Amino acid sequence: MTSEAQWRLFRGDGERRVVPLPEAPPWRRFSERAADGRLPSPYLISRQHADVVNAALHLRRPLLVTGHPGTGKSSLAEAIAHELGLGDVLRWPVNSRSTVQEALYRYDAIGRLRETTLSRDRSEKEPSIGVFVRLGPLGTALVPRERPRVLLVDELDKGDVDLPNDLLTVFEEGEFEIPELARLPEKESIVEVLTARADEQATVVRGRVRCSEFPVVVITSNGERDFPPAFLRRCVQLELPVPDEDRLRAIVTAHLGGDAMAEVDDLLRAFLQRRVPGQLATDQLLNAVFLRAGGVDLDADGLLDAVLHRLGGAV
């Protein structure tokens, strides 16, 4: 049982104190994950849904994943990258201002002008234009390589209504042009540019980036908007269901171990009673079980309500 001192790290009394922080939940241990490359816990998916993923992999088509919040849409990209050894996931979080252009590349024309002027004033060699070109997550995913990268296009339905159609050409042709590099003279046709990864560069020839293996593209949507038929036709669609009680028990066990299921039936019942599709997410149940397993009395002072708060409506 967690003691009063262990639980109340923050007391709100204005008094400064140094307290040891408890161990984080497995899914919130970022340094461990980066050090050994392992996922914090296995990704649970039915054979039927895994077969849909395999269909997208074989067809080299984007995988459009739909489902309510908390069903594991974004985590699926991590699971695919991990199991297939495809490296870190490239992430493109979409919002209302997102454009395909920025996801492909950015060109810092003002920075280049400034640095070129300074170099001339100092009689130094002008910096390469490649220093001022950085590929975005989509552009980096299209860089030719022997093994494809995994690209997560997260919450595409939050983007502009034209964004899915803007992606069609890129998805169909697997290439794009950087006009600022395409206009360079022949002797400068090979340029090293920056990528979305801080430790990587990519070679661009005559301003064109063309993939040799189409990337593994996972697109998530919360169903806030319908997509055009032309876009849907080019995707393999997977709808992740809301997990039932058996699947919830399996998820808790996978993340926290079998011992965590002891004496948490009341939490599971409370979760199932309160859950309406889109109103509670599975990770909220994991949060509650993690605290209970650590000895916290989740029935005290309305803490259960705080952990299992509704996702929809005003807060």
Side-chain angles (χ1 to χ4, degrees), residues 40-172:
S41 58
Y43 184 86
L44 300 183
I45 186 171
S46 70
R47 188 166 188 171
Q48 173 188 0
H49 296 138
D51 284 343
V52 178
V53 176
N54 286 316
L57 293 173
H58 281 278
L59 294 172
R60 306 301 199 273
R61 288 290 189 182
L63 180 67
L64 176 59
V65 187
T66 58
H68 293 291
T71 51
K73 299 186 297 296
S74 300
S75 301
L76 179 57
E78 293 276 2
I80 294 172
H82 170 70
E83 286 197 19
L84 301 185
L86 299 179
D88 295 338
V89 174
L90 296 165
R91 297 175 178 273
W92 179 22
V94 175
N95 58 52
S96 60
R97 299 178 301 278
S98 297
T99 64
V100 172
Q101 168 67 40
E102 70 176 19
L104 290 173
Y105 79 98
R106 289 175 181 263
Y107 171 55
D108 185 5
I110 296 177
R112 185 188 181 199
L113 177 62
R114 181 181 62 250
E115 292 300 321
T116 299
T117 301
L118 290 174
S119 297
R120 289 173 179 173
D121 292 343
R122 300 168 183 163
S123 299
E124 298 174 351
K125 182 180 178 180
E126 295 180 11
S128 168
I129 187 175
V131 177
F132 306 98
V133 176
R134 181 178 292 277
L135 302 182
L138 177 56
T140 302
L142 293 172
V143 171
R145 50 174 52 87
E146 183 178 350
R147 299 275 286 170
R149 297 291 294 267
V150 176
L151 170 68
L152 172 63
V153 183
D154 209 11
E155 299 189 335
L156 181 61
D157 51 329
K158 291 188 179 300
D160 183 80
V161 66
D162 292 325
L163 188 58
N165 282 329
D166 293 341
L167 283 168
L168 292 181
T169 300
V170 178
F171 284 166
E172 284 301 288

Side-chain angles (χ1 to χ4, degrees), residues 179-222:
E180 293 84 357
L181 302 185
R183 293 193 292 263
L184 295 174
E186 183 65 25
K187 63 180 181 179
E188 302 175 24
S189 61
I190 301 177
V191 180
E192 293 289 324
V193 302
L194 306 174
T195 72
R197 293 292 309 278
D199 57 345
E200 289 182 355
Q201 288 187 318
T203 302
V204 178
V205 180
R206 296 183 178 86
R208 187 158 293 275
V209 177
R210 182 182 181 87
C211 66
S212 54
E213 278 286 344
F214 189 75
V216 178
V217 180
V218 177
I219 303 171
T220 71
S221 170
N222 290 324

Side-chain angles (χ1 to χ4, degrees), residues 26-27 40-42 44 243-265 267-268 271 281-293:
W27 54 91
S41 58
L44 300 183
D244 58 17
E245 181 175 347
D246 291 339
R247 179 53 62 95
L248 287 173
R249 290 182 180 275
I251 291 173
V252 171
T253 300
H255 281 80
L256 298 172
D259 293 341
M261 287 306 302
E263 300 182 1
V264 296
D265 286 346
L267 292 179
L268 186 57
F271 180 82
T282 304
D283 59 349
Q284 291 175 283
L285 175 63
L286 289 172
N287 292 336
V289 175
F290 176 77
L291 292 175
R292 171 66 65 81

